[in-house]
Amino acid sequence: MKQQWLFLGRLGRRGIFTLDWLGGLFIFAVDALINCWRMPGFLNSLGIQTLTTYKRCALPVIFMLVPLGAMLGLQGLLVVQAFDLERLFSAQVVNALVREMAPGFSALMVAMQAGAGMTAELGTMSVRQETYALETMGLPCNSFLGGPRILATTVATALLCPIGAFAGILGAFIYAVLIGGFPFNQFALHMGDLINLSDLWIAEIKCLVFGLLTGVICTEAGLRTPQKSAAQVGSSANRAVVRCVVLLVVCNYILNTAIYGLRG
């Protein structure tokens, strides 16, 4: 019985710690974004960070979504051929890629590729006490360093979503049509049967939310890196990526339930 109470106590402490961290994350995001546009060089920093994030993640997103699209084409082709539903093949593939795979995997790649680098960069600045120097000059680090990076991650994630969707569809096309012999006319004719314009906007909105969440988590982890040693930088980057992956999955479930669950 004592072991059970100890387990419940540890679980409760974990829950309180998580709620405390989420509350601190929200306060950090508000503090970073509310005045970032007033910082000197804001637009220049925003443009540079957006372009850097986009360039670092575009090819990884393509290389990830092309084989995933091919895998989806393989499995989907087996199912539709077994039930004689070839008309739904390309429609189902495009539906899955646009609604789920493109937004989700684009955000995950941004978190693992750009987010980890962002955390390491800010963590190194924190360990070297460069953030203290900025504070001394009257530049709040949350707004000056964090704000542009959060917005840049948000914009870059939204820009990567169409590339991811196109890459996934290309992968499915390569396997199903060029390798599997699926009729091209049938593939092209029914691609949009299960999606409409609202699905495209929803995918972009999801990417904006995912990008905002990734940017806030990674910048907060970098700026809050303990100033003990350089080893803390790696720990902060690893912790930020893990938290991003977990919260992105949870956030995706909540958004899908709120959007598609209510639509029926």
Side-chain angles (χ1 to χ4, degrees):
M1 188 67 180
K2 183 179 179 180
Q3 295 295 330
Q4 294 176 347
W5 283 111
L6 289 175
F7 172 75
L8 291 176
R10 288 193 295 268
L11 189 63
R13 285 193 294 271
R14 285 288 183 180
I16 293 173
F17 171 79
T18 302
L19 291 176
D20 178 69
W21 174 72
L22 289 174
L25 196 68
F26 176 77
I27 294 173
F28 169 82
V30 173
D31 183 44
L33 295 174
I34 195 169
N35 290 317
C36 66
W37 58 276
R38 298 179 178 176
M39 295 295 104
F42 166 72
L43 291 178
N44 183 54
S45 178
L46 176 61
I48 292 174
Q49 293 296 330
T50 301
L51 183 61
T52 300
T53 302
Y54 183 84
K55 289 170 63 177
R56 291 181 64 180
C57 299
L59 284 179
V61 167
I62 292 173
F63 289 146
M64 176 179 285
L65 266 298
V66 167
L68 281 174
M71 179 187 66
L72 189 62
L74 166 64
Q75 300 299 329
L77 198 59
L78 293 175
V79 172
V80 298
Q81 287 177 345
F83 293 95
D84 196 21
L85 296 172
E86 284 83 357
R87 184 179 64 85
L88 295 178
F89 169 67
S90 60
Q92 189 61 48
V93 168
V94 173
N95 179 58
L97 286 167
V98 171
R99 285 189 174 187
E100 297 298 331
M101 284 192 167
F105 282 99
S106 296
L108 286 176
M109 185 52 63
V110 169
M112 291 184 289
Q113 179 75 0
M118 188 189 310
T119 303
E121 179 188 11
L122 295 176
T124 302
M125 295 178 67
S126 180
V127 170
R128 293 177 177 176
Q129 299 187 348
E130 295 177 23
T131 54
Y132 279 159
L134 290 173
E135 295 282 355
T136 304
M137 291 186 292
L139 296 173
C141 292
N142 290 354
S143 299
F144 183 71
L145 296 176
R149 285 170 171 80
I150 294 172
L151 294 177
T153 306
T154 304
V155 174
T157 307
L159 293 176
L160 288 168
C161 182
I163 293 179
F166 178 79
I169 295 172
L170 178 63
F173 172 82
I174 291 174
Y175 177 81
V177 177
L178 300 184
I179 299 176
F182 192 82
F184 170 78
N185 292 337
Q186 196 168 4
F187 184 92
L189 184 63
H190 299 289
M191 285 177 57
D193 286 359
L194 296 180
I195 62 170
N196 49 47
L197 187 61
S198 65
D199 291 310
L200 302 178
W201 283 111
I202 289 172
E204 286 297 315
I205 292 172
K206 288 172 67 175
C207 278
L208 290 173
V209 174
F210 295 161
L212 179 65
L213 190 62
T214 300
V216 171
I217 292 173
C218 292
T219 52
E220 189 267 349
L223 291 173
R224 299 293 183 269
T225 300
Q227 298 179 356
K228 296 179 181 180
S229 66
Q232 299 295 327
V233 176
S235 299
S236 295
N238 179 70
R239 186 163 53 247
V241 171
V242 172
R243 287 174 174 176
C244 281
V245 172
V246 173
L247 286 185
L248 286 176
V249 172
V250 174
C251 183
N252 186 52
Y253 171 76
I254 294 173
L255 288 175
N256 284 340
T257 302
I259 297 172
Y260 297 116
L262 293 177
R263 287 175 59 184

